[in-house]
């Protein structure tokens, strides 16, 4: 277990990530532009094509813009989680990761500190997008901003842990884009971010429906969706928590120089 002497390390890593984010001000803009375009262009264009029936957590018919907000919040968390893993690859190429990993703290705690720091930035960006939704008068309950906080943190940790796991096997920045394309887009499009599950089932897309149900990003989106309306989705929360634990443990194992993928990469 971590002792009190370990917590300054987490604080230092968090401060480093925050300062780096502050100096990369275009990062916040890019994080907001992508979901904002989906909200203003895609959702507006398909407003009269995609009908959203009354399904939990909604107790009445809703506009399509309202439906996609949880999915776009998940998009913000997903892209920032992947960007944090890109930073890990960059730090490893520049040699900064070596300084981090030889620090006199447990390796799992250092990786956890990286994960927490990245998640804090992800959640802040998610709330910036919620503020943007309020500007465009998307009907999201104000109380949902508070209820959604624990789910945004949990989803951010899960997606950040996935990014950590992916960063283990990516040894060069040039290979990162290709790897991300096989993760980000399938996770986003094979989820309930843009359309409800019953739409897939109704259309007869059996394989896509099954993949969407087992996609952890689907459950992250649904967990956020229910929380925005003051409801707790137990099944989705348990799946996201389980995925978080699995991804993080695999990342810790991967960064173990004695047993993990880092050792294999060094041998290669």
């Amino acid at each position: 277990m971590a002792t009190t002497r370990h917590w300054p390390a987490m604080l230092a890593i968090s401060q480093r990530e925050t300062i780096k984010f502050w100096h990369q001000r275009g990062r916040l803009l890019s994080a907001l532009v992508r979901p904002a375009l989906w909200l203003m262009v895609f959702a507006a264009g398909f407003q009269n094509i995609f009908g959203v029936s009354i399904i939990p957590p909604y107790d009445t018919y809703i506009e399509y813009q309202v439906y996609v907000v949880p999915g776009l919040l998940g998009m913000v968390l997903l892209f920032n989680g992947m960007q944090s893993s890109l930073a890990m690859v960059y730090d490893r190429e520049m040699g900064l990761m070596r300084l981090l990993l030889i620090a006199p703290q447990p390796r799992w705690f250092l990786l956890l500190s990286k994960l927490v720091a990245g998640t804090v930035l992800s959640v802040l960006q998610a709330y910036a997008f919620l503020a943007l939704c309020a500007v465009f008068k998307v009907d999201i309950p104000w109380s949902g901003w508070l209820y959604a906080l624990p789910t945004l943190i949990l989803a951010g940790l899960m997606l950040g842990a996935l990014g950590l796991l992916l960063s283990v096997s990516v040894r060069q920045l040039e290979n990162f884009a290709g790897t991300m394309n096989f993760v980000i887009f399938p996770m986003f499009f094979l989820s309930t971010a843009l359309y409800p599950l019953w739409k897939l089932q109704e259309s007869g897309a059996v394989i896509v429906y099954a993949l969407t149900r087992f996609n952890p990003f689907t459950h992250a989106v649904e967990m956020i969706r229910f929380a925005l309306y003051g409801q707790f989705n137990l099944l989705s929360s348990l799946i996201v928590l389980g995925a978080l634990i699995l991804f993080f443990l695999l990342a810790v194992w991967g960064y173990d120089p004695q047993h993990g993928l880092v050792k294999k990469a060094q041998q290669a």
Side-chain angles (χ1 to χ4, degrees):
M1 297 297 291
T3 60
T4 53
R5 67 185 179 87
H6 294 139
W7 297 113
M10 178 177 287
L11 180 60
I13 293 173
S14 300
Q15 287 177 338
R16 178 180 180 271
E17 294 297 317
T18 303
I19 293 172
K20 185 167 65 173
F21 179 78
W22 177 254
H23 288 291
Q24 299 171 344
R25 299 183 184 181
R27 187 172 164 186
L28 175 61
L29 181 61
S30 63
L32 295 180
V33 166
R34 190 181 301 109
L37 285 175
W38 280 87
L39 182 66
M40 293 184 295
V41 179
F42 181 86
F46 285 89
Q47 176 68 35
N48 296 323
I49 298 177
F50 287 161
V52 180
S53 63
I54 303 176
I55 55 175
Y58 310 112
D59 54 7
T60 184
Y61 287 98
I62 58 169
E63 295 180 339
Y64 184 63
Q65 287 94 331
V66 175
Y67 177 82
V68 298
V69 165
L72 296 180
L73 286 170
M75 174 193 278
V76 173
L77 300 175
L78 175 62
F79 275 84
N80 192 73
M82 296 304 106
Q83 198 163 11
S84 296
S85 64
L86 173 62
M88 292 284 285
V89 177
Y90 177 82
D91 288 347
R92 192 167 60 212
E93 277 201 346
M94 297 298 104
L96 297 176
M97 275 296 296
R98 295 179 183 177
L99 297 177
L100 177 65
L101 294 178
I102 63 173
Q105 277 84 26
R107 183 156 302 196
W108 67 266
F109 187 78
L110 294 171
L111 293 174
L112 178 63
S113 300
K114 268 294 242 191
L115 178 59
V116 170
T119 302
V120 169
L121 296 178
S122 295
V123 172
L124 290 176
Q125 291 175 51
Y127 273 100
F129 176 69
L130 273 177
L132 194 63
C133 292
V135 171
F136 289 107
K137 298 182 179 179
V138 181
D139 187 19
I140 301 296
W142 291 104
S143 59
W145 289 45
L146 179 61
Y147 294 136
L149 178 58
T151 60
L152 290 172
I153 293 174
L154 181 58
L157 287 171
M158 186 268 287
L159 295 169
L162 176 60
L164 274 180
L165 177 59
L166 292 173
S167 71
V168 173
S169 57
V170 180
R171 289 187 288 169
Q172 294 180 341
L173 288 173
E174 292 79 7
N175 301 331
F176 187 83
T179 304
M180 293 304 98
N181 285 335
F182 286 100
V183 176
I184 291 179
F185 293 111
M187 285 193 77
F188 181 71
F189 287 108
L190 292 175
S191 73
T192 56
L194 301 178
Y195 30 73
L197 273 175
W198 67 266
K199 279 282 189 183
L200 294 173
Q201 193 173 27
E202 185 183 67
S203 66
V206 179
I207 296 178
V208 176
Y209 173 75
L211 291 173
T212 302
R213 283 191 60 194
F214 289 102
N215 181 1
F217 184 72
T218 290
H219 296 282
V221 171
E222 291 305 302
M223 181 178 64
I224 296 170
R225 189 187 310 282
F226 275 74
L228 286 172
Y229 292 87
Q231 300 180 36
F232 179 62
N233 191 321
L234 178 60
L235 176 61
S236 292
S237 299
L238 290 176
I239 291 175
V240 172
L241 179 61
L244 162 62
I245 295 172
L246 176 63
F247 294 155
F248 182 72
L249 290 179
L250 288 175
V252 172
W253 176 82
Y255 273 101
D256 187 344
Q258 300 300 322
H259 307 95
L261 296 178
V262 169
K263 179 182 179 181
K264 296 180 180 179
Q266 291 172 346
Q267 291 175 347

